[in-house]
Amino acid sequence: MYPSLINSAVVGYICAMGLALAYLVQRHDLVHRLAVLATLAAWAAHTISLIVRAVELGAPPLGSLPDAIWVGVWVIVLLEVLLEQRTGVRVLGAFVLPIVVLLSLKTTTGRSAALGPALASAWIWIHIALAMIGIAAFVFNFVGGIMYLLQERQLKTKRPGAFYYRLPSLATLDRLTFRTLALGFPFLTVGLMLGALWARAAWGSALTFDPLAFFSLVAWVIYAGTLAGRAAGGWHGRRAAYFAIFGFAALVLTLGAGLFLPGRHGS
């Protein structure tokens, strides 16, 4: 039952992505409503799959990296729906749902080795959950940066293209990147701190090399520098958008290392 629910959710997200991209191009209200309905239907199947998985495991579905990413995707879709309603940025799905689909496909093809007994505890589940919430927020930080650069490029050419009338103002996009950065950073920080404490308990040292942990630290340094630059150095606009992209690239490397490289996180 669990695989069929996953497949249903992934197919639903693919349909929602297609509709969201069609709305970005055509801007028909009916297409947007269908995209929202498809997203909600897929998210409902996704929710049921997580409940079924938790019942099967007798624990939160966070015992392997693919399962944890699947939970992260659930959070991303929830935030997408909420942010679209709150901000009125109706094209958000066209930029977020392709990432959702890619992560979902990677989840279904990734290896599902479970965490070792030393790490199977409530605290490590909290560590993983907080890290996934942080990553979900940084998806929107990345998307905001991409949209900012697209909109800025159109303004500089003084020949606005089709996307100019579909994307929000630069000020709105800059606020989106800042707020999602400020939201995600505390979750990632606490998640990594808990992970370091448990690494010391389980492996004997918090400094034991692991590809996923290493790239997580690289991403944290990038986001910490970006947040400090925005708070103290007055960074905004294009510079902040570029750092949003750099940070997300580090997160992609983090997840890739966890899924495909040998390490202590069960991959």
Side-chain angles (χ1 to χ4, degrees), residues 234-259:
W235 291 6
H236 61 86
R238 186 194 306 176
R239 180 182 293 179
Y242 280 131
F243 273 94
I245 295 170
F246 295 151
F248 189 73
L251 288 180
V252 171
L253 290 175
T254 300
L255 297 178
L259 287 170

Side-chain angles (χ1 to χ4, degrees), residues 89-172:
V89 181
R90 302 180 76 184
V91 298
L92 196 58
F95 292 88
V96 174
L97 288 173
I99 299 173
V100 165
V101 170
L102 287 174
L103 288 176
S104 299
L105 293 175
K106 286 296 183 183
T107 299
T108 59
T109 58
R111 289 173 287 178
S112 300
L115 292 168
L119 295 180
S121 71
W123 285 108
I124 202 66
W125 294 332
I126 295 173
H127 150 65
I128 296 171
L130 292 176
M132 287 300 115
I133 294 172
I135 290 173
F138 290 136
V139 166
F140 294 91
N141 180 250
F142 167 74
V143 164
I146 291 292
M147 289 194 289
Y148 185 96
L149 294 175
L150 286 174
Q151 189 71 308
E152 185 189 50
R153 179 185 177 90
Q154 292 184 106
L155 288 170
K156 283 191 172 183
T157 60
K158 298 182 180 179
R159 293 168 58 184
F163 288 168
Y164 174 77
Y165 300 101
R166 291 161 172 77
L167 296 177
S169 67
L170 293 179
T172 298

Side-chain angles (χ1 to χ4, degrees), residues 79 83 87 92 133-145 173-187 223 227 230 244:
L79 287 177
L83 283 174
T87 65
L92 196 58
I133 294 172
I135 290 173
F138 290 136
V139 166
F140 294 91
N141 180 250
F142 167 74
V143 164
L173 293 172
D174 193 51
R175 283 196 300 271
L176 175 64
T177 59
F178 175 69
R179 289 174 179 174
T180 50
L181 172 63
L183 172 65
F185 186 74
F187 283 102
Y223 285 121
L227 190 59
R230 295 205 66 150

